[in-house]
Amino acid sequence: MKILLASNSPRRKEILTEGKIDFTVVKSGYKEESFKFYKESFIKKNSLNKALDAARGIDFPAVVIGADTMVILREGNSDVCLLKPQSYDEAFLMLKKLSGKTHKVVTSISLVKCPTEAGFKENLTKETQVLTEIEETYVTFRKLSDDEIHAYLELFKPLDKAGSYGIQDFLTPDEVNNPPKKSFIEKIEGDYFNVMGISLEKLKSMLEKFCPNALNTNDA
C-alpha cells in the first residue's frame, strides 16, 4: 500500500525521508483555517481536511497523511495561536512574546485510507477509514535581546513559519538535552521533530496501528 503525503512542507518531507518512509507527495486543495485561539478540534479539522481533500483524487490502495502544526502561547486565560507572520515587524513582536517564556507546539496528524474501488472521490462517507491524533511539545526560550532577534530575522527570514522560527535554526536533534548557549532555546520537553513539522515516532505508531503493512511495502 502506498503512503501519500498531502503536504508541500520541505520540513515534513525531510523528516519522512530521514525516517526512511517511502512516500509520494500529493496535492491537497484544502486551505487550512487560521484561528486566533487554540482548540484541539480546530487543528484536527485542518489536518483531516487536508488528507480528505487529497484522498478524493486517489483511486488505488493508499494511506494519505495530512498534518497541521500550531504554535500556542498562553496569554492570561487564553491559548493564543502564533500564526505565520505577515511582516518583519510582526515576526519581531512574536519572538519578543516568546522571549523568556515556555510555549506549546501542537501537530495534528490525520491518516485516511483510500479504498480500492474507483469513484472514491465522489463517495467519501462516514464509513471512510480515518485516524487523527495530536502530539504536543513544550519549548522554553531564554531571554532574548532585540539585537539577537533582529539578527535572526535578517539571517533566516522565517516568515513562512508559525511562531516566526524554525527549531532547526537553533539546534540539532542531538543537542536537545544540552542546547548550545547561543541557541534561543533553553529547554525542550517532548518530540523535537514535532516542533519541526511532524513527529516521526507518532506517525510511525499511527501507521502501524492504522495500516500495519504500510511501512513494510508500498506496492499498489
Side-chain angles (χ1 to χ4, degrees):
M1 179 172 284
K2 291 187 178 297
I3 295 176
L4 308 177
L5 176 63
S7 173
N8 282 319
S9 164
R11 291 165 290 279
R12 292 192 181 118
K13 289 187 279 188
E14 179 184 340
I15 292 169
L16 267 64
T17 300
E18 288 293 321
K20 302 188 186 308
I21 294 178
D22 188 7
F23 69 98
T24 301
V25 172
V26 291
K27 184 178 180 180
S28 174
Y30 176 74
K31 183 176 175 57
E32 63 188 36
E33 295 185 53
S34 298
F35 305 97
K36 182 176 181 180
F37 301 107
Y38 172 75
K39 283 188 179 180
E40 186 176 304
S41 59
F42 294 164
I43 193 170
K44 285 183 172 180
K45 176 183 177 182
N46 273 345
S47 67
L48 180 57
N49 283 340
K50 286 180 185 179
L52 286 172
D53 187 83
R56 287 186 173 91
I58 308 301
D59 60 1
F60 52 84
V63 57
V64 182
I65 303 166
D68 189 33
T69 300
M70 292 184 179
V71 175
I72 315 299
L73 181 63
R74 187 74 175 175
E75 294 185 351
N77 295 320
S78 300
D79 288 327
V80 178
C81 299
L82 300 186
L83 308 173
K84 295 176 183 178
Q86 298 302 303
S87 67
Y88 180 99
D89 289 344
E90 188 176 349
F92 180 85
L93 290 175
M94 278 191 195
L95 291 174
K96 284 283 284 185
K97 284 185 177 182
L98 293 175
S99 174
K101 296 178 183 176
T102 298
H103 62 277
K104 179 169 65 174
V105 180
V106 184
T107 298
S108 177
I109 304 173
S110 293
L111 305 180
V112 174
K113 191 178 292 184
C114 300
T116 57
E117 64 269 16
F120 176 60
K121 59 185 176 182
E122 286 86 22
N123 293 298
L124 282 177
T125 68
K126 290 187 294 184
E127 287 71 37
T128 300
Q129 290 181 279
V130 301
L131 175 66
T132 298
E133 295 184 6
I134 64 168
E135 183 77 11
E136 298 182 349
T137 302
Y138 290 85
V139 181
T140 301
F141 272 30
R142 64 174 173 82
K143 195 70 176 176
L144 307 174
S145 70
D146 288 0
D147 286 345
E148 286 179 308
I149 296 174
H150 283 303
Y152 171 71
L153 293 176
E154 291 289 348
L155 181 60
F156 289 97
K157 300 178 173 54
L159 300 187
D160 63 333
K161 298 177 178 67
S164 304
Y165 78 93
I167 192 171
Q168 64 276 12
D169 300 336
F170 301 133
L171 75 167
T172 68
D174 294 335
E175 296 171 327
V176 167
N177 294 323
N178 189 26
K181 288 185 178 180
K182 65 180 180 179
S183 172
F184 281 17
I185 294 173
E186 189 174 88
K187 183 173 67 173
I188 293 178
E189 297 174 83
D191 191 307
Y192 170 96
F193 293 103
N194 186 55
V195 185
M196 193 172 168
I198 193 167
S199 167
L200 186 61
E201 184 177 344
K202 169 71 78 174
L203 175 60
K204 285 186 173 181
S205 173
M206 290 175 66
L207 286 169
E208 288 168 359
K209 177 167 52 178
F210 186 67
C211 189
N213 296 322
L215 292 175
N216 298 325
T217 176
N218 284 337
D219 294 337

